[in-house]
Amino acid sequence: MTTPFRGLPGVDRVLSDKRVQRLVDGYSHDAVLSLVRAELGDARSAIGEGKPPPGLDEVVVAVEARAASGWRSWPTPVINATGVILHTNLGRSPLSASAMDAVGLAATGYSDLELDLSSGKRGSRQPYIGGLLRELTGAEAALVVNNNASAVLLGLAAVAGGKEVIVSRGEAVEIGGGFRIPDVLRQGGAELVEVGTTNRTYVGDYEAAISERTGALLSVHASNFRQTGFTHTPRLTELVDLGEAKNIPVLHDLGSGCLLDTAAFGLAHEPMPQESVAAGISLAFFSGDKLLGGPQAGLIIGISDLVGAVARHPLARAVRIDKLSLAALGATLLHYVKGEAESEVPIWRMVTEPAESIEARAGRWRKALGQRTSVAKGLSTIGGGSLPGEVLETTLVSLDPSGVAGGAAALAGRLRRGAPPVVGRIEEERVLLDPRTVLAQEEDALLRVVGQALADTD
């Protein structure tokens, strides 16, 4: 009796196809064999559900598609035309040219990562970055780990493990990815003590909650949301004075950690690490890939004794930063030391680009793309859990999706499938592109991809 499974090509027949042989030449026989077997396995399951057996060509095309999807270089570079400067889904801060050069040098050879060249003995990966951070913030000591969540977790474990940590009820927050301050406290071995109310907390609330089990006072900057109206939060100096009077360390989770005064660029003031140090904070924690404009990292600054205790904690090894991120971070911090961050760090070039310059770029794009495009005034945002509600004036290029089946969503999909992918945003059934977040060297590629997407009418 003939069964539908007999119509399915065998493994050897698929492997002998010239297209599959090209995959073998590019990868390996065993890897491609696994791919072919997986595809044929799925085909058998489909046949068992009553679907007709695929022919050789269909199987080969499917195998090629599996290889293209599963073995492509990743992450895929994309052009961010959304107008969100620190776009978490797109990797947050792009690196400066110097930072990328530093990563390349660190990646392609050996380095003195943990070697003291003067003595020839084993060294530490922390002193160089620590020196830059001390210079930039005025802190006594500094330590770098793999991200800010790790920094906060490690700091709490080292300073307040097994003790109580007092936090304002309005600051027991959740940020992206389900990162919740109460959960971090528990994982760090500390016990949360909430004081005050959601909208109003006073230094007296902290003082009233202090007991012999208090290990730290924690202040958390609400970097990804804003409370307005009938609110009150103690000044950092008030908490520091209380901590000094009670001999209790005061910890400050800054979130973004901005080394430049954002108010100078027409934005709300973002708390700065150097301000925390000047206020007398015991330890402060902030990110490397947000308003600092560098790689993912968690930066810890503060008084020497506590930073030393954090560095010696067993968890420090588990959250250690890698050499490539250290190289990028060092190069990024040097921009601030040289006073050139506004011109060299990409996110600060985006923040500070004049509205007239963006308007001129948008006009060039519209002229190059021709019909079905227009320009309109709009707003860019900071993003990345930084400066919530703050916007920058911009000029948008608007794409008319008429003639594309599926409208704006379908046109945006075409852009994302471009080479390279272009990511815009959709408002009122039009696709909008914001020049602010598009790097100068990306413009030609963007215009080519957008032009092709608009030309391919249904």
PDB file of all heavy atoms in Angstrom, residues 227-252:
ATOM      1  N   GLN A 227       6.303  61.724  39.092  1.00  0.00           N
ATOM      2  CA  GLN A 227       5.197  62.069  39.982  1.00  0.00           C
ATOM      3  C   GLN A 227       5.058  63.583  40.030  1.00  0.00           C
ATOM      4  O   GLN A 227       6.051  64.296  40.201  1.00  0.00           O
ATOM      5  CB  GLN A 227       5.453  61.555  41.398  1.00  0.00           C
ATOM      6  CG  GLN A 227       5.034  60.115  41.631  1.00  0.00           C
ATOM      7  CD  GLN A 227       5.045  59.781  43.117  1.00  0.00           C
ATOM      8  OE1 GLN A 227       5.659  60.471  43.917  1.00  0.00           O
ATOM      9  NE2 GLN A 227       4.345  58.747  43.493  1.00  0.00           N
ATOM     10  N   THR A 228       3.842  64.077  39.862  1.00  0.00           N
ATOM     11  CA  THR A 228       3.612  65.516  39.929  1.00  0.00           C
ATOM     12  C   THR A 228       2.446  65.802  40.862  1.00  0.00           C
ATOM     13  O   THR A 228       1.675  64.903  41.214  1.00  0.00           O
ATOM     14  CB  THR A 228       3.287  66.090  38.529  1.00  0.00           C
ATOM     15  OG1 THR A 228       2.109  65.450  38.012  1.00  0.00           O
ATOM     16  CG2 THR A 228       4.438  65.866  37.561  1.00  0.00           C
ATOM     17  N   GLY A 229       2.332  67.060  41.246  1.00  0.00           N
ATOM     18  CA  GLY A 229       1.217  67.445  42.103  1.00  0.00           C
ATOM     19  C   GLY A 229       1.611  67.491  43.570  1.00  0.00           C
ATOM     20  O   GLY A 229       2.661  68.030  43.935  1.00  0.00           O
ATOM     21  N   PHE A 230       0.796  66.882  44.402  1.00  0.00           N
ATOM     22  CA  PHE A 230       0.968  66.937  45.852  1.00  0.00           C
ATOM     23  C   PHE A 230       1.998  65.881  46.271  1.00  0.00           C
ATOM     24  O   PHE A 230       1.662  64.777  46.696  1.00  0.00           O
ATOM     25  CB  PHE A 230      -0.384  66.688  46.527  1.00  0.00           C
ATOM     26  CG  PHE A 230      -0.389  66.951  48.009  1.00  0.00           C
ATOM     27  CD1 PHE A 230      -0.093  68.200  48.521  1.00  0.00           C
ATOM     28  CD2 PHE A 230      -0.708  65.932  48.892  1.00  0.00           C
ATOM     29  CE1 PHE A 230      -0.109  68.435  49.895  1.00  0.00           C
ATOM     30  CE2 PHE A 230      -0.737  66.157  50.261  1.00  0.00           C
ATOM     31  CZ  PHE A 230      -0.429  67.409  50.753  1.00  0.00           C
ATOM     32  N   THR A 231       3.284  66.223  46.116  1.00  0.00           N
ATOM     33  CA  THR A 231       4.358  65.265  46.376  1.00  0.00           C
ATOM     34  C   THR A 231       5.434  65.887  47.265  1.00  0.00           C
ATOM     35  O   THR A 231       5.564  67.119  47.354  1.00  0.00           O
ATOM     36  CB  THR A 231       5.020  64.800  45.061  1.00  0.00           C
ATOM     37  OG1 THR A 231       5.636  65.933  44.427  1.00  0.00           O
ATOM     38  CG2 THR A 231       4.003  64.179  44.117  1.00  0.00           C
ATOM     39  N   HIS A 232       6.201  65.017  47.900  1.00  0.00           N
ATOM     40  CA  HIS A 232       7.363  65.469  48.664  1.00  0.00           C
ATOM     41  C   HIS A 232       8.347  64.307  48.803  1.00  0.00           C
ATOM     42  O   HIS A 232       7.948  63.175  49.089  1.00  0.00           O
ATOM     43  CB  HIS A 232       6.965  65.965  50.062  1.00  0.00           C
ATOM     44  CG  HIS A 232       8.129  66.513  50.838  1.00  0.00           C
ATOM     45  ND1 HIS A 232       8.968  65.707  51.587  1.00  0.00           N
ATOM     46  CD2 HIS A 232       8.617  67.787  50.943  1.00  0.00           C
ATOM     47  CE1 HIS A 232       9.912  66.460  52.138  1.00  0.00           C
ATOM     48  NE2 HIS A 232       9.710  67.725  51.767  1.00  0.00           N
ATOM     49  N   THR A 233       9.607  64.613  48.593  1.00  0.00           N
ATOM     50  CA  THR A 233      10.688  63.644  48.757  1.00  0.00           C
ATOM     51  C   THR A 233      11.820  64.325  49.514  1.00  0.00           C
ATOM     52  O   THR A 233      12.170  65.470  49.197  1.00  0.00           O
ATOM     53  CB  THR A 233      11.213  63.160  47.396  1.00  0.00           C
ATOM     54  OG1 THR A 233      10.138  62.577  46.669  1.00  0.00           O
ATOM     55  CG2 THR A 233      12.306  62.134  47.566  1.00  0.00           C
ATOM     56  N   PRO A 234      12.406  63.672  50.492  1.00  0.00           N
ATOM     57  CA  PRO A 234      13.515  64.309  51.218  1.00  0.00           C
ATOM     58  C   PRO A 234      14.690  64.605  50.285  1.00  0.00           C
ATOM     59  O   PRO A 234      14.948  63.859  49.337  1.00  0.00           O
ATOM     60  CB  PRO A 234      13.904  63.249  52.258  1.00  0.00           C
ATOM     61  CG  PRO A 234      12.767  62.323  52.341  1.00  0.00           C
ATOM     62  CD  PRO A 234      12.106  62.333  51.007  1.00  0.00           C
ATOM     63  N   ARG A 235      15.372  65.706  50.553  1.00  0.00           N
ATOM     64  CA  ARG A 235      16.600  65.986  49.818  1.00  0.00           C
ATOM     65  C   ARG A 235      17.656  64.960  50.181  1.00  0.00           C
ATOM     66  O   ARG A 235      17.672  64.424  51.293  1.00  0.00           O
ATOM     67  CB  ARG A 235      17.105  67.395  50.124  1.00  0.00           C
ATOM     68  CG  ARG A 235      16.177  68.506  49.662  1.00  0.00           C
ATOM     69  CD  ARG A 235      16.869  69.865  49.791  1.00  0.00           C
ATOM     70  NE  ARG A 235      17.352  70.088  51.163  1.00  0.00           N
ATOM     71  CZ  ARG A 235      16.600  70.589  52.141  1.00  0.00           C
ATOM     72  NH1 ARG A 235      15.329  70.899  51.915  1.00  0.00           N
ATOM     73  NH2 ARG A 235      17.110  70.772  53.343  1.00  0.00           N
ATOM     74  N   LEU A 236      18.545  64.714  49.242  1.00  0.00           N
ATOM     75  CA  LEU A 236      19.597  63.731  49.485  1.00  0.00           C
ATOM     76  C   LEU A 236      20.442  64.134  50.691  1.00  0.00           C
ATOM     77  O   LEU A 236      20.856  63.284  51.502  1.00  0.00           O
ATOM     78  CB  LEU A 236      20.475  63.609  48.230  1.00  0.00           C
ATOM     79  CG  LEU A 236      21.155  62.267  47.974  1.00  0.00           C
ATOM     80  CD1 LEU A 236      20.169  61.116  48.008  1.00  0.00           C
ATOM     81  CD2 LEU A 236      21.892  62.316  46.641  1.00  0.00           C
ATOM     82  N   THR A 237      20.704  65.412  50.842  1.00  0.00           N
ATOM     83  CA  THR A 237      21.510  65.878  51.971  1.00  0.00           C
ATOM     84  C   THR A 237      20.817  65.607  53.307  1.00  0.00           C
ATOM     85  O   THR A 237      21.489  65.363  54.320  1.00  0.00           O
ATOM     86  CB  THR A 237      21.795  67.381  51.833  1.00  0.00           C
ATOM     87  OG1 THR A 237      20.563  68.087  51.600  1.00  0.00           O
ATOM     88  CG2 THR A 237      22.756  67.651  50.678  1.00  0.00           C
ATOM     89  N   GLU A 238      19.488  65.643  53.314  1.00  0.00           N
ATOM     90  CA  GLU A 238      18.754  65.324  54.543  1.00  0.00           C
ATOM     91  C   GLU A 238      18.987  63.866  54.938  1.00  0.00           C
ATOM     92  O   GLU A 238      19.194  63.553  56.123  1.00  0.00           O
ATOM     93  CB  GLU A 238      17.260  65.569  54.360  1.00  0.00           C
ATOM     94  CG  GLU A 238      16.860  67.021  54.206  1.00  0.00           C
ATOM     95  CD  GLU A 238      15.352  67.159  54.087  1.00  0.00           C
ATOM     96  OE1 GLU A 238      14.824  67.027  52.961  1.00  0.00           O
ATOM     97  OE2 GLU A 238      14.703  67.378  55.130  1.00  0.00           O
ATOM     98  N   LEU A 239      18.929  62.967  53.952  1.00  0.00           N
ATOM     99  CA  LEU A 239      19.162  61.548  54.241  1.00  0.00           C
ATOM    100  C   LEU A 239      20.602  61.321  54.688  1.00  0.00           C
ATOM    101  O   LEU A 239      20.866  60.506  55.589  1.00  0.00           O
ATOM    102  CB  LEU A 239      18.850  60.705  53.009  1.00  0.00           C
ATOM    103  CG  LEU A 239      17.385  60.580  52.606  1.00  0.00           C
ATOM    104  CD1 LEU A 239      17.251  59.682  51.385  1.00  0.00           C
ATOM    105  CD2 LEU A 239      16.536  60.035  53.750  1.00  0.00           C
ATOM    106  N   VAL A 240      21.535  62.015  54.065  1.00  0.00           N
ATOM    107  CA  VAL A 240      22.941  61.870  54.443  1.00  0.00           C
ATOM    108  C   VAL A 240      23.161  62.349  55.871  1.00  0.00           C
ATOM    109  O   VAL A 240      23.860  61.691  56.664  1.00  0.00           O
ATOM    110  CB  VAL A 240      23.846  62.640  53.460  1.00  0.00           C
ATOM    111  CG1 VAL A 240      25.275  62.720  53.995  1.00  0.00           C
ATOM    112  CG2 VAL A 240      23.832  61.967  52.100  1.00  0.00           C
ATOM    113  N   ASP A 241      22.576  63.471  56.223  1.00  0.00           N
ATOM    114  CA  ASP A 241      22.712  63.975  57.604  1.00  0.00           C
ATOM    115  C   ASP A 241      22.140  62.975  58.598  1.00  0.00           C
ATOM    116  O   ASP A 241      22.735  62.729  59.663  1.00  0.00           O
ATOM    117  CB  ASP A 241      21.988  65.317  57.747  1.00  0.00           C
ATOM    118  CG  ASP A 241      22.692  66.449  57.022  1.00  0.00           C
ATOM    119  OD1 ASP A 241      23.878  66.278  56.672  1.00  0.00           O
ATOM    120  OD2 ASP A 241      22.051  67.497  56.789  1.00  0.00           O
ATOM    121  N   LEU A 242      20.989  62.392  58.256  1.00  0.00           N
ATOM    122  CA  LEU A 242      20.397  61.394  59.142  1.00  0.00           C
ATOM    123  C   LEU A 242      21.291  60.166  59.234  1.00  0.00           C
ATOM    124  O   LEU A 242      21.511  59.625  60.330  1.00  0.00           O
ATOM    125  CB  LEU A 242      19.017  60.995  58.621  1.00  0.00           C
ATOM    126  CG  LEU A 242      18.287  59.879  59.378  1.00  0.00           C
ATOM    127  CD1 LEU A 242      18.045  60.274  60.833  1.00  0.00           C
ATOM    128  CD2 LEU A 242      16.969  59.523  58.681  1.00  0.00           C
ATOM    129  N   GLY A 243      21.811  59.721  58.100  1.00  0.00           N
ATOM    130  CA  GLY A 243      22.685  58.556  58.098  1.00  0.00           C
ATOM    131  C   GLY A 243      23.930  58.781  58.931  1.00  0.00           C
ATOM    132  O   GLY A 243      24.371  57.886  59.675  1.00  0.00           O
ATOM    133  N   GLU A 244      24.516  59.972  58.809  1.00  0.00           N
ATOM    134  CA  GLU A 244      25.714  60.270  59.593  1.00  0.00           C
ATOM    135  C   GLU A 244      25.396  60.319  61.084  1.00  0.00           C
ATOM    136  O   GLU A 244      26.172  59.832  61.916  1.00  0.00           O
ATOM    137  CB  GLU A 244      26.311  61.597  59.128  1.00  0.00           C
ATOM    138  CG  GLU A 244      26.945  61.513  57.741  1.00  0.00           C
ATOM    139  CD  GLU A 244      27.493  62.843  57.280  1.00  0.00           C
ATOM    140  OE1 GLU A 244      27.199  63.879  57.942  1.00  0.00           O
ATOM    141  OE2 GLU A 244      28.199  62.875  56.257  1.00  0.00           O
ATOM    142  N   ALA A 245      24.243  60.885  61.423  1.00  0.00           N
ATOM    143  CA  ALA A 245      23.866  60.976  62.834  1.00  0.00           C
ATOM    144  C   ALA A 245      23.624  59.602  63.447  1.00  0.00           C
ATOM    145  O   ALA A 245      23.910  59.379  64.635  1.00  0.00           O
ATOM    146  CB  ALA A 245      22.609  61.842  62.977  1.00  0.00           C
ATOM    147  N   LYS A 246      23.114  58.672  62.650  1.00  0.00           N
ATOM    148  CA  LYS A 246      22.787  57.335  63.144  1.00  0.00           C
ATOM    149  C   LYS A 246      23.843  56.292  62.765  1.00  0.00           C
ATOM    150  O   LYS A 246      23.662  55.107  63.054  1.00  0.00           O
ATOM    151  CB  LYS A 246      21.429  56.897  62.587  1.00  0.00           C
ATOM    152  CG  LYS A 246      20.270  57.819  62.940  1.00  0.00           C
ATOM    153  CD  LYS A 246      19.972  57.806  64.433  1.00  0.00           C
ATOM    154  CE  LYS A 246      18.748  58.658  64.756  1.00  0.00           C
ATOM    155  NZ  LYS A 246      18.402  58.619  66.204  1.00  0.00           N
ATOM    156  N   ASN A 247      24.908  56.734  62.074  1.00  0.00           N
ATOM    157  CA  ASN A 247      25.971  55.829  61.626  1.00  0.00           C
ATOM    158  C   ASN A 247      25.418  54.717  60.725  1.00  0.00           C
ATOM    159  O   ASN A 247      25.716  53.539  60.887  1.00  0.00           O
ATOM    160  CB  ASN A 247      26.707  55.211  62.824  1.00  0.00           C
ATOM    161  CG  ASN A 247      28.027  54.584  62.414  1.00  0.00           C
ATOM    162  OD1 ASN A 247      28.651  55.020  61.440  1.00  0.00           O
ATOM    163  ND2 ASN A 247      28.437  53.556  63.129  1.00  0.00           N
ATOM    164  N   ILE A 248      24.596  55.134  59.758  1.00  0.00           N
ATOM    165  CA  ILE A 248      23.972  54.208  58.813  1.00  0.00           C
ATOM    166  C   ILE A 248      24.309  54.662  57.394  1.00  0.00           C
ATOM    167  O   ILE A 248      24.123  55.835  57.062  1.00  0.00           O
ATOM    168  CB  ILE A 248      22.434  54.179  58.986  1.00  0.00           C
ATOM    169  CG1 ILE A 248      22.073  53.663  60.381  1.00  0.00           C
ATOM    170  CG2 ILE A 248      21.777  53.306  57.911  1.00  0.00           C
ATOM    171  CD1 ILE A 248      20.593  53.808  60.705  1.00  0.00           C
ATOM    172  N   PRO A 249      24.827  53.778  56.557  1.00  0.00           N
ATOM    173  CA  PRO A 249      25.150  54.178  55.182  1.00  0.00           C
ATOM    174  C   PRO A 249      23.901  54.551  54.388  1.00  0.00           C
ATOM    175  O   PRO A 249      22.833  53.975  54.577  1.00  0.00           O
ATOM    176  CB  PRO A 249      25.835  52.943  54.588  1.00  0.00           C
ATOM    177  CG  PRO A 249      25.416  51.807  55.439  1.00  0.00           C
ATOM    178  CD  PRO A 249      25.174  52.364  56.815  1.00  0.00           C
ATOM    179  N   VAL A 250      24.068  55.510  53.486  1.00  0.00           N
ATOM    180  CA  VAL A 250      22.989  55.947  52.610  1.00  0.00           C
ATOM    181  C   VAL A 250      23.362  55.581  51.176  1.00  0.00           C
ATOM    182  O   VAL A 250      24.430  55.973  50.682  1.00  0.00           O
ATOM    183  CB  VAL A 250      22.745  57.462  52.720  1.00  0.00           C
ATOM    184  CG1 VAL A 250      21.620  57.890  51.781  1.00  0.00           C
ATOM    185  CG2 VAL A 250      22.418  57.842  54.152  1.00  0.00           C
ATOM    186  N   LEU A 251      22.493  54.823  50.521  1.00  0.00           N
ATOM    187  CA  LEU A 251      22.740  54.343  49.162  1.00  0.00           C
ATOM    188  C   LEU A 251      21.821  55.077  48.193  1.00  0.00           C
ATOM    189  O   LEU A 251      20.676  55.366  48.519  1.00  0.00           O
ATOM    190  CB  LEU A 251      22.496  52.836  49.071  1.00  0.00           C
ATOM    191  CG  LEU A 251      23.083  51.969  50.192  1.00  0.00           C
ATOM    192  CD1 LEU A 251      22.805  50.497  49.926  1.00  0.00           C
ATOM    193  CD2 LEU A 251      24.579  52.209  50.341  1.00  0.00           C
ATOM    194  N   HIS A 252      22.325  55.326  46.981  1.00  0.00           N
ATOM    195  CA  HIS A 252      21.547  56.093  46.007  1.00  0.00           C
ATOM    196  C   HIS A 252      21.579  55.387  44.660  1.00  0.00           C
ATOM    197  O   HIS A 252      22.642  55.266  44.038  1.00  0.00           O
ATOM    198  CB  HIS A 252      22.127  57.505  45.864  1.00  0.00           C
ATOM    199  CG  HIS A 252      21.261  58.420  45.056  1.00  0.00           C
ATOM    200  ND1 HIS A 252      21.716  59.603  44.511  1.00  0.00           N
ATOM    201  CD2 HIS A 252      19.936  58.340  44.698  1.00  0.00           C
ATOM    202  CE1 HIS A 252      20.738  60.202  43.860  1.00  0.00           C
ATOM    203  NE2 HIS A 252      19.656  59.461  43.957  1.00  0.00           N
TER     204      HIS A 252
END
